Amino acid sequence: MIALRADNISHRYQGKPVLQGIDLEIAAGESFAIVGHNGAGKSTLLRLLAFLERPTAGEVVALVSGARTPADLALRRRIVMVMQRPFLFSTSVLTNVAYGMRVRGASRREARERAHRALEMVGLSSLADRAARTLSGGEAQLVNLARALAVEPEVLLLDEVTSHLDPDNEARAEAVITKLTASGRVTVIVVTQDLDQATRLAGRGALLRRGRVEAVGEVRGLRQTRRG
Ligand SMILES: Nc1ncnc2c1ncn2[C@@H]1O[C@H](COP(=O)(O)OP(=O)(O)OP(=O)(O)O)[C@@H](O)[C@H]1O
Ligand SMILES: [Mg+2]
């Protein structure tokens, strides 16, 4: 299992500081929430924790069974981030969901089988053969989630993955995520605007404000800080 640590990371875009002096530890198998206002730096922090970008200063460290491990391709393939804005290829829904497994070397048949199972988990089996570009916003968001689940990652980073979902689909997506977190085998980091959702999905979390960690700890405690 994989733990992640942000060691004093800062990040700038075109010289503008977006994250400053972030120290965080997310234990292996933990579910952790990141909350904060628009532009606080949540998505940026998630991309850094997913090793999709390198911080301008400081570093993100991956620990496997407690030992520091280089973030090489093999490690990065065990980590999957679901982006805030779904990016789907102009192919069928099933091919989109199977993509991550194909990249990781699964056979076509195995990838298709697991893709079908992942679509079933999010309640979209009936859309497997649809052209992905014809999906509604909420459907695209669920396919985006299914694609990540299908890979069975060891670290799953979710960036506001229920923001376009109706209450039923939100509850379904949360149930899928909760099942994963309850297994204790996956390290899950969720970004959300919704402290109630953070409480349902995570034990601990961090409150980001203008690129800094304002508070870290039990999600329940963050609510007080955000109000105050
Ligand atoms: N590639 C980029 N180039 C320049 N600025 C960027 C880039 N990505 C993000 N930013 C800026 O960094 C800041 C933090 O962005 P980020 O997307 O991390 O915020 P967020 O907390 O996820 O916001 P939201 O709740 O709206 O999704 C914003 O001011 C944003 O405009
Ligand atoms: Mg964001």
Side-chain angles (χ1 to χ4, degrees), residues 13-14 16 18 36-45 47 84 159-160 191 193 208:
Y13 287 118
Q14 287 95 42
K16 179 183 156 234
V18 173
H37 295 118
N38 293 134
K42 304 180 298 297
S43 296
T44 305
L45 177 57
R47 284 195 301 273
Q84 188 167 2
D159 196 354
E160 301 197 37
V191 163
Q193 300 281 349
L208 272 193

Side-chain angles (χ1 to χ4, degrees), residues 43-224:
S43 296
T44 305
L45 177 57
L46 212 58
R47 284 195 301 273
L48 298 179
L49 291 171
F51 297 101
L52 296 175
E53 279 181 60
R54 283 170 68 100
T56 315
E59 79 178 314
V60 176
V61 175
L63 302 145
V64 178
S65 305
R68 198 187 164 105
T69 307
D72 56 11
L73 184 62
L75 182 89
R76 282 186 278 122
R77 284 192 168 165
R78 297 157 71 185
I79 301 173
V80 168
M81 174 167 167
V82 180
M83 299 286 172
Q84 188 167 2
R85 274 172 286 210
F87 174 81
L88 299 175
F89 300 112
S90 302
T91 55
S92 73
V93 165
L94 191 75
T95 306
N96 267 281
V97 177
Y99 174 77
M101 289 170 285
R102 292 289 283 155
V103 170
R104 287 167 175 79
S107 71
R108 190 157 182 258
R109 188 173 156 196
E110 192 199 345
R112 287 175 69 89
E113 277 173 10
R114 278 165 60 183
H116 274 296
R117 281 208 296 278
L119 282 172
E120 209 176 300
M121 282 160 84
V122 300
L124 289 189
S125 292
S126 62
L127 295 184
D129 297 325
R130 273 273 289 281
R133 63 183 156 71
T134 67
L135 297 177
S136 75
E139 288 164 349
Q141 200 163 36
L142 285 167
V143 168
N144 202 30
L145 177 61
R147 178 164 56 185
L149 295 170
V151 168
E152 296 177 4
E154 287 170 73
V155 180
L156 181 61
L157 304 108
L158 303 170
D159 196 354
E160 301 197 37
V161 290
T162 65
S163 57
H164 299 298
L165 303 185
D166 63 48
D168 286 350
N169 275 322
E170 181 184 51
R172 187 199 288 267
E174 284 189 8
V176 172
I177 298 163
T178 307
K179 202 171 161 191
L180 272 185
T181 57
S183 77
R185 276 181 282 137
V186 186
T187 307
V188 180
I189 307 178
V190 293
V191 163
T192 177
Q193 300 281 349
D194 177 358
L195 268 168
D196 291 326
Q197 181 176 63
T199 308
R200 292 192 294 274
L201 297 181
R204 283 192 326 132
L207 181 62
L208 272 193
R209 195 186 297 264
R210 297 202 191 102
R212 293 179 187 274
V213 172
E214 193 172 51
V216 58
E218 297 288 315
V219 173
R220 281 166 222 285
L222 299 181
R223 192 182 292 274
Q224 299 301 326

